[in-house]
Amino acid sequence: MMITDDMLNKLERLSALKIPESKKEEFKAELGKIVGFVEILDELDLAGLEAEVSTIKQSARLREDEPVKSEVIKDILKHAPKTYETYFEVPKIIE
């Protein structure tokens, strides 16, 4: 696929990028190579295949949502220089 000036200008607007005039031909060539590479996928014969949303054939096992008591707050706060109840205590910076 040949990338035209109009296509490049539209891409420039959509991406909110500013491509310098001196680099536009280089960008068109590189984008053309990328699109050409992706167009190779059109050659694949996908007749009879269904679209897949996952590579895993089995579904995820469901489990009950059970609360678990955690001591993570205490573990984290024991490393703090100063704490108040379950909070970090920091010096006042706004008067």
Side-chain angles (χ1 to χ4, degrees):
M1 171 185 239
M2 185 69 176
I3 305 295
T4 65
D5 288 329
D6 291 337
M7 293 169 94
L8 188 62
N9 290 335
K10 185 175 182 178
L11 181 61
E12 191 175 13
R13 277 193 320 276
L14 290 173
S15 65
L17 295 173
K18 180 65 182 150
I19 301 171
E21 287 296 325
S22 62
K23 296 280 188 178
K24 284 195 177 190
E25 290 303 317
E26 183 181 339
F27 269 76
K28 285 177 13 182
E30 288 297 318
L31 288 172
K33 287 180 188 176
I34 293 168
V35 172
F37 178 75
V38 173
E39 283 179 336
I40 293 172
L41 297 175
D42 287 338
E43 298 174 11
L44 294 175
D45 181 20
L46 302 176
L49 294 177
E50 290 186 36
E52 296 283 341
V53 294
S54 174
T55 57
I56 300 172
K57 295 295 180 191
Q58 63 187 17
S59 62
R61 290 181 289 164
L62 299 178
R63 60 177 172 78
E64 291 295 319
D65 190 14
E66 299 172 2
V68 177
K69 185 160 176 70
S70 172
E71 299 295 326
V72 70
I73 293 174
K74 288 181 183 176
D75 291 340
I76 291 172
L77 289 176
K78 73 181 178 185
H79 298 288
K82 271 183 113 176
T83 62
Y84 174 75
E85 294 178 0
T86 58
Y87 303 99
F88 292 105
E89 190 173 332
V90 295
K92 183 177 177 180
I93 58 170
I94 300 175
E95 296 195 28

